[in-house]
Amino acid sequence: MSAGKGKFITFEGIDGAGKSTHIATVVEFLRARGRAVISTREPGGTPLGEKLRELLLHEAIYPETEALLMFAARREHLARVIEPALARGAWVVCDRFSDATYAYQGGGRGMDRARLSSLERWTHGHLQPDLTFLFDLPPNVAGGRIARQGRALDKFEREDAGFHRRVREAYLERAASAPDRICVVDAGRSLEEIGKMIEEIVVARCS
Ligand code: ADP
Ligand code: TYD
């Protein structure tokens, strides 16, 4: 990979699809090639964002408030972490970003997409990820993976099958509307196959 400016790469998909696993791999891959990389997440990534995450993942919140809090946490994250990192030439690898709001608050909760789009423009009209990996998997398969982890579920993971199906569909709609940015990954393939594909795409698209 040639030296150059930092890139903003996001990972998306329903819970249990494999994002966290592959973020760790791609961060290691980039660092081994001499890149300065920060690995961060949403909601979260700043002290305020992590406090909001705690509320968002565990409290019952009215859907519109939930969407506004996601964007509030995002604005803080952009201003304090993402934009400064990109400005100094670092790469930013982020576990979820605005596509998740379209999927969960738009698809899952049924919020109007035009409202989300105006909040998105307000929050980061000037900036989009350079590349997004969407991990696509049937919700029952992802649910099985989470169940095998044997951990406590958060508020979103406890939602019913219909919610997770709508989230998946909304993600696929997003991918169809931004095919140059969003790369759909068949998350049912092996860890090795997925890892190799991601590395090839990162090298091809971000060099
Ligand atoms: P996410 O961050 O998308 O919620 P994780 O990376 O935490 O998902 O993965 C959820 C579980 O599924 C973990 O136990 C992980 O080891 C397992 N897993 C991830 N990718 C695969 C895969 N391709 N095949 C089988 N199991 C996987
Ligand atoms: P996530 O970081 O994926 O959890 P884990 O640590 O278990 O892998 O969890 C964040 C949750 O927040 C996830 O269920 C999706 C949800 N979410 C939204 O609903 N809207 C958003 O805009 C974002 C960024 C996340």
Side-chain angles (χ1 to χ4, degrees):
M1 292 166 80
S2 62
K5 277 189 65 208
K7 299 283 181 187
F8 181 23
I9 303 178
T10 60
F11 282 66
E12 298 282 0
I14 59 171
D15 300 273
K19 297 175 300 300
S20 313
T21 307
H22 288 284
I23 286 173
T25 316
V26 84
V27 166
E28 204 178 300
F29 171 80
L30 289 168
R31 286 189 178 140
R33 276 151 191 78
R35 302 294 188 185
V37 187
I38 64 156
S39 179
T40 186
R41 67 175 180 180
E42 291 208 348
T46 64
L48 174 65
E50 290 295 327
K51 286 184 181 165
L52 291 173
R53 178 187 177 93
E54 201 45 41
L55 295 172
L56 283 159
L57 266 58
H58 301 291
E59 301 290 329
I61 299 174
Y62 191 72
E64 292 177 359
T65 317
E66 189 175 87
L68 289 164
L69 289 174
M70 291 292 178
F71 277 110
R74 185 161 300 134
R75 187 61 226 141
E76 190 76 5
H77 194 200
L78 281 157
R80 291 191 187 276
V81 176
I82 298 174
E83 291 172 334
L86 293 172
R88 62 174 187 267
W91 288 49
V92 176
V93 178
C94 190
D95 191 342
R96 302 186 185 279
F97 194 61
S98 288
D99 296 313
T101 317
Y102 283 93
Y104 283 79
Q105 283 64 52
R109 305 260 190 251
M111 258 199 78
D112 176 30
R113 308 295 203 277
R115 278 196 178 175
L116 297 178
S117 165
S118 72
L119 288 170
E120 181 191 18
R121 274 198 303 281
W122 187 42
T123 308
H124 61 95
H126 54 296
L127 179 77
Q128 284 292 341
D130 294 295
L131 177 62
T132 296
F133 290 105
L134 168 55
F135 280 63
D136 182 53
L137 196 65
N140 62 320
V141 180
R145 287 182 183 176
I146 293 174
R148 276 191 292 282
Q149 289 179 314
R151 57 176 174 78
L153 302 184
D154 67 39
K155 184 181 88 180
F156 294 100
E157 290 165 336
R158 284 198 305 272
E159 289 286 349
D160 64 16
F163 178 90
H164 293 291
R165 199 186 58 245
R166 293 193 300 281
V167 170
R168 182 191 192 195
E169 283 165 6
Y171 263 135
L172 291 172
E173 277 170 30
R174 260 326 257 167
S177 72
D180 292 342
R181 173 174 67 84
I182 303 178
C183 173
V184 181
V185 175
D186 174 357
R189 292 163 64 192
S190 73
L191 290 174
E192 294 70 26
E193 283 176 306
I194 296 171
K196 187 164 176 289
M197 193 194 81
I198 287 178
E199 288 175 5
E200 284 170 3
I201 293 172
V202 166
V203 170
R205 299 270 299 269
C206 296
S207 298

